[in-house]
Structure formats: structure tokens, C-alpha cells
Amino acid sequence: AQTVTQSQPEMSVQEAETVTLSCTYDTSENNYYLFWYKQPPSRQMILVIRQEAYKQQNATENRFSVNFQKAAKSFSLKISDSQLGDTAMYFCALMDSNYQLIWGAGTKLIIKP
Amino acid sequence: DGGITQSPKYLFRKEGQNVTLSCEQNLNHDAMYWYRQDPGQGLRLIYYSQIVNDFQKGDIAEGYSVSREKKESFPLTVTSAQKNPTAFYLCASSGDREAGETQYFGPGTRLLVL
């Protein structure tokens, strides 16, 4: 069975600091996609970043980047220069061959002023 | 504006009542999804549809029903058989295989039982 594990239920950092959220997954497939979604207090689910497993280069989107270690099945999210608006739940998700998302339990990130 | 809309934002259900949550998208996406989120939890898949007039059960389909008569619309009915319907409901759509069928979400509907 495919699984996604987020081992950090909650994290907090000071504004402008860098923070890394952890995600590990298990799959027997060779081609797949990994996602990080953000859910702010408004509760809308917002795509942060996407990684294709067959691409070795780590994805980046402005202040957000990932460290994708395929052999270790690790997919961590790094947020640089954190801002108050980054306060949210962050979910890691794996897309299986049927295009279904397997979700982690989430990490609550608090950015302190 | 292209996007996914859900209505209503809040919905109250009386005991024994069926209620329907609306989800509309104008992204021309083929696939649509319904998820349930309980407080402090992740998302669980209720139903999904990959094409008009076809849909499949997800992990927690009992007590729910859907239809997909139009590409743009995927309404979810919470029936009286769902004994614990209080939750946040999210609709999503996807349609770009080259983007890994990335799912994009609507703003959600919060359902409360009176």
C-alpha cells in the first residue's frame, strides 16, 4: 500500500527564518508525482509546489523549494524568508497511477512575528 | 475568471434530511473529486469522476451520492444514511496529464448538523 508520512505535527519559527517540513512516502511505482499543498485558516487548499519523480532537479517556486531524495523516498519542503502569511497547515501528497492523491496527516506551521 | 466554485459556504442539516453541495468548474477539466476533512485531519476521498456520466466510490462513499451529468458540475448529496456528516467538504478538479493531473480545489463547504 502507498503511504505518506509527515512526522512533524506542528512547527513554529520566527518571521524571516527558514523552515523545513518533512515528508516521507512509500510506493512501488517508478513514475509518480509529489505535491505540497497549503491550507491557511480560510481552509482553501492551495497548491504550493509539484515534483515529478522522473526529474532529478528539485522543484522551486519563489521562496518554496523541495529536497527530493527518490532513493530515500523523502520529499521535504523548504520555506525561505518565512512570512506571516505562510502560517497554515501543510500537506504532502503522492499521486498514484490512477491519479488519486494519497495524503499525509499534515504539519501545522506557525510563523511568529 | 477560471476556477472552482462551491456553494453554499455554510450548510445546516436537520436530522433525516438530505442536502446537496454544489461544485462547478470552468477549467474544462475532465476529472472532479469530493473530499471530506474532519477537524485536525487530512483529506479523505468520497467520490471521484474521470468523465461525464461516470463516477467511482472513494474510501468513504457510504451515506453519500453524486452525479456527473455535465462536465462542469459534480454535486454531492449527503443523505440521511450518513450519520456523522458534520465536516468540511472540498471539491477538486484536474485535467492536465502533462501537469501530473494536478488537483485544484474550491473554497469548501462547511456542513453542520442541527
Side-chain angles (χ1 to χ4, degrees):
Chain A
Q2 298 176 102
T3 59
V4 175
T5 302
Q6 293 180 250
S7 58
Q8 304 150 313
E10 184 169 327
M11 298 183 71
S12 66
V13 298
Q14 294 294 135
E15 191 176 8
E17 290 183 348
T18 294
V19 59
T20 299
L21 308 183
S22 301
C23 173
T24 58
Y25 61 93
D26 191 20
T27 180
S28 57
E29 299 178 7
N30 196 42
N31 269 353
Y32 49 89
Y33 289 84
L34 292 159
F35 302 85
W36 278 99
Y37 283 90
K38 165 185 175 180
Q39 189 177 38
S42 67
R43 302 196 72 177
Q44 175 148 16
M45 198 68 76
I46 301 165
L47 176 69
V48 175
I49 201 163
R50 174 182 64 235
Q51 175 77 43
E52 298 157 74
Y54 64 87
K55 287 190 175 179
Q56 293 187 344
Q57 186 174 7
N58 288 327
T60 62
E61 287 287 343
N62 301 313
R63 298 183 294 108
F64 299 88
S65 61
V66 298
N67 183 4
F68 174 49
Q69 302 290 327
K70 190 173 183 179
K73 295 182 180 175
S74 172
F75 183 60
S76 61
L77 174 70
K78 185 172 84 170
I79 306 174
S80 303
D81 186 26
S82 57
Q83 300 174 359
L84 296 178
D86 295 332
T87 292
M89 284 289 291
Y90 286 81
F91 291 94
C92 178
L94 164 70
M95 182 163 284
D96 68 15
S97 56
N98 293 319
Y99 301 104
Q100 303 306 308
L101 284 173
I102 314 299
W103 295 85
T107 295
K108 183 177 182 180
L109 177 64
I110 299 169
I111 309 299
K112 297 181 286 186
Chain B
D1 279 26
I4 304 170
T5 58
Q6 291 185 241
S7 62
K9 188 173 182 179
Y10 297 95
L11 185 57
F12 299 92
R13 192 191 94 163
K14 296 180 181 178
E15 293 287 340
Q17 186 181 40
N18 291 357
V19 293
T20 297
L21 284 62
S22 169
C23 178
E24 304 274 335
Q25 55 98 0
N26 61 5
L27 300 170
N28 199 33
H29 284 170
D30 286 317
M32 297 185 74
Y33 309 81
W34 274 106
Y35 292 93
R36 170 178 172 144
Q37 186 179 32
D38 291 287
Q41 305 293 317
L43 276 66
R44 293 186 290 169
L45 183 64
I46 305 173
Y47 268 99
Y48 64 100
S49 168
Q50 294 184 327
I51 198 168
V52 175
N53 292 322
D54 184 53
F55 48 83
Q56 308 294 329
K57 292 182 179 180
D59 301 320
I60 55 165
E62 187 174 350
Y64 300 97
S65 66
V66 294
S67 63
R68 187 83 187 279
E69 298 177 1
K70 298 187 299 182
K71 188 175 186 178
E72 310 80 44
S73 178
F74 191 41
L76 173 74
T77 296
V78 183
T79 74
S80 57
Q82 173 50 246
K83 297 306 178 188
N84 184 23
T86 295
F88 187 62
Y89 292 86
L90 283 161
C91 177
S93 71
S94 66
D96 186 349
R97 290 285 168 98
E98 292 187 6
E101 288 286 338
T102 299
Q103 293 185 19
Y104 296 94
F105 288 81
T109 293
R110 182 168 297 191
L111 176 61
L112 298 168
V113 177
L114 296 177

